[in-house]
């Protein structure tokens, strides 16, 4: 290592070569002080030209790409235009101080590291700078190796932080993708499960899909959190799963049912709950609740338990409403779709009798949203052909 002459009274500058160190301790240091492969860019901010010259000399010799500014506003102008990895900054300068620059960088360009270069009398402020996010500080007069150790350490930490953040972002993206995959697969499981019963009934595959979408929309309107919205979207389509246990002779009987047949038909609620109960999966658990309660009525005249008002679980009240809306709005082999004004009139009439009055208000006030779901998910042609 060659020694150079002092640049001024308060500086002891030792021109330093990062790859040429003679002493044993210097060799160890040379290993730790390596020029980063990407030739990091360093901005030197100091009002004294001689210090900028000294620091630029140290940094460029070690392989860094160097820029200079004589005050904070000049530094910010450089930072606005160029990508700077690290700022090496004086504390006391005319105008804004180095501390001001540290604070500004923390908000504007948090990826840029800062190392302070301060006099002994600025030591307290230097500590404040560290608390505000600066990586380290070097006291004047400094040795070039001190500068390089701090610069290298700050850049390495910055690289680690960026790599860590990128990794976090990647993981978050992966979690998002897997969440979508899980939601899709659970929806598919639910739809396949109910397809076993729907073919024996008059319902269609798109009917049950729409029920999930309407129910999710209602949940959103009610201010439910996203997980709850997704749960009801998967759970509501299973409302009639219990029909799998109703004999064909009743399920597909043309014309009206006898009182005895109605008793059996009504059992599809309890059968659905039996099929779905005891699960640890939230949407299947909610499916059980909806299955048992989706024929309850607000005024207590529904079945199987004659529950009244808020004693009927909200998810079942939602499903009851949207199930009727969809059944009336679509063609079935035994009926044409009702005009929307008739559907609305019937739902309005059911306010406080069949349906939760608040849900009816919410539904009708946002009818457009449900109409969009209805239009965007039409029945397949073969679903509604007579006799199917
Ligand atoms: Fe039902
Ligand atoms: Fe239904």
């Amino acid at each position: 290592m060659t020694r150079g002459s002092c640049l001024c009274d308060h500086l002891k500058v030792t021109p330093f070569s990062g790859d040429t160190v003679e002493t044993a301790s210097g060799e160890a240091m040379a290993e730790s002080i390596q020029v980063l492969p990407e030739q990091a860019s360093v901005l030197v901010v100091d009002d004294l030209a001689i210090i900028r010259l000294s620091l630029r000399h140290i940094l460029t010799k070690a392989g860094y790409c160097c820029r200079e500014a004589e005050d904070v506003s000049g530094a910010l102008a450089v930072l606005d235009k160029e990508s700077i990895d690290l700022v090496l900054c004086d504390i006391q300068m005319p105008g804004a101080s180095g501390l001001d620059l540290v604070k500004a960088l923390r908000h504007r360009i948090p990826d840029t590291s800062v190392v302070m270069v301060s006099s002994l009398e600025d030591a307290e402020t230097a500590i404040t700078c560290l608390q505000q996010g600066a990586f380290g500080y070097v006291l004047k007069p400094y040795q070039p190796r001190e500068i390089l150790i701090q610069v290298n350490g700050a850049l390495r930490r910055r690289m680690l932080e960026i790599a860590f953040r990128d990794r976090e972002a990647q993981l978050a993206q992966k979690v998002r993708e897997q969440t979508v995959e899980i939601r899709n697969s659970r929806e598919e499981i639910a739809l396949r499960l109910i397809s076993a019963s729907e073919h024996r009934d008059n319902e269609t595959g798109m009917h049950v899909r729409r029920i999930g979408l309407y129910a999710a929309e209602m949940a959103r309107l009610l201010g439910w959190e996203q997980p709850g919205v997704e749960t009801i979207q998967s759970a509501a389509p299973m409302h009639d799963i219990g029909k799998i246990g109703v004999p064909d002779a009743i399920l597909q009987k043309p014309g009206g049912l006898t009182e005895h047949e109605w008793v059996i038909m009504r059992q599809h609620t309890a059968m659905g709950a039996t099929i779905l109960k005891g699960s640890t999966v939230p949407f299947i658990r909610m499916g059980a609740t909806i299955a048992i309660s989706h024929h309850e009525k607000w005024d207590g005249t529904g079945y199987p338990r004659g529950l009244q008002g808020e004693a009927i679980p909200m998810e079942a009240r939602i499903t009851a409403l949207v199930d009727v809306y969809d059944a009336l709005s679509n063609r079935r082999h035994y009926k044409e779709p009702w005009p929307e004004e008739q559907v609305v009139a019937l739902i309005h009439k059911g306010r406080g009798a069949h349906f939760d009055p608040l849900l009816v208000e919410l539904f009708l006030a946002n009818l457009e949203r449900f109409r969009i779901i209805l239009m965007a998910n039409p029945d397949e042609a073969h679903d509604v052909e007579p006799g199917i």
Side-chain angles (χ1 to χ4, degrees), residues 44-58:
V44 172
V45 188
D46 202 300
D47 55 316
L48 291 179
I50 198 163
I51 301 221
R52 295 201 301 274
L53 181 68
S54 146
L55 292 172
R56 173 187 274 272
H57 179 73
I58 294 165

Side-chain angles (χ1 to χ4, degrees), residues 201 203 239-241 243 265 268-269 291 294-295 303 323:
D201 195 2
E203 303 295 16
H239 59 284
D240 271 342
I241 189 103
K243 283 187 178 171
M265 180 63 119
H268 80 275
T269 51
H294 71 283
H295 285 290
Y303 65 90
D323 193 23

